[in-house]
Amino acid sequence: MLRILAAVVALAAGGLWVAKGANCGWTKTNIPHRTPDPVTGLTGISYEKGFVPGVDFLAGAALAAGVLAGASLVVNTNNAKTEPAVKQSIQL
Amino acid sequence: MRTQWIPILLLPALAVPALAAPETFDFKDPKGVNAIIFKLDAPLEAINGSASGVTGTVTFDPQNPGATTGKIVIAGATMTVPNATQTEHMRSSQWLDVEKNPEITFEAKALKNVKTNGDKTTADVSGAFTLHGVSKELTIPVELSYLKDKLGERLGGNQKGDLLVLRSSFSIKRGDFNIMPGQMENKVSDTIALTVGIVGASGK
């Protein structure tokens, strides 16, 4: 179950990153908008709140997926250790 | 009899200085287009952003562009990069300390190598650049475009007045302004490339 969750986290993060433009820089939370001024030829820059995930977002998601996958291994090992005790109690 | 003509003959001479009077341009732009763009390209990280809080005045004489003087002020608290956390760090006491040093200024003192072609003038302007509380004398290239009677067209009203567009590209070193000198240069470049594109208005 945890491995499936890890795969879902990794795929969802990768999908979101690609869908938002595959930004190879840091995550953007202020999105710049350029406004041209035809009389002067200048271009004004204003910022709006938004979210464009970057490589730090991908790294965070990969780490989270790794932790979940690692946790699944620990849980499996614990289950394997407890199984013989269960069998013994059934025989008794 | 001839002396009666003297005042009449002097009239054009009086009118010439009136036509050539220097104008004072206010750079607080009502359309909010004025911006200073900064770029830092370090080996591990590139940082691009802009500052929009531009004010100041410039005195420009279309008949004598070489006599231009003025001061441009940038509000440090308007310096922004696309990442909100990085913006906070940049403005913090560790870097620009905008609370303690709220203004970045350039005060033009003299122009050299002045070349005028129509409404455009290029020159090297010398002046005092103040950042992070440290002032340095800099000489930077500048292009001035004088747009006569364009204020109304730009603002979409009946205002009468002229515009002065200033453009410049130059670089500074943050270490020269005591901004974490010699530290973290792999991530935050010592060289900061600045691109200025601002417009001032002179109403009539």
Side-chain angles (χ1 to χ4, degrees), chain B residues 192-204:
Chain B
I192 304 171
L194 296 164
T195 304
V196 179
I198 55 177
V199 60
S202 164
K204 287 178 181 169

Side-chain angles (χ1 to χ4, degrees), chain B residues 59-81:
Chain B
T59 303
F60 176 81
D61 183 350
Q63 305 299 319
N64 184 17
T68 303
T69 56
K71 185 178 181 181
I72 297 298
V73 180
I74 300 149
T78 65
M79 293 186 72
T80 307
V81 293

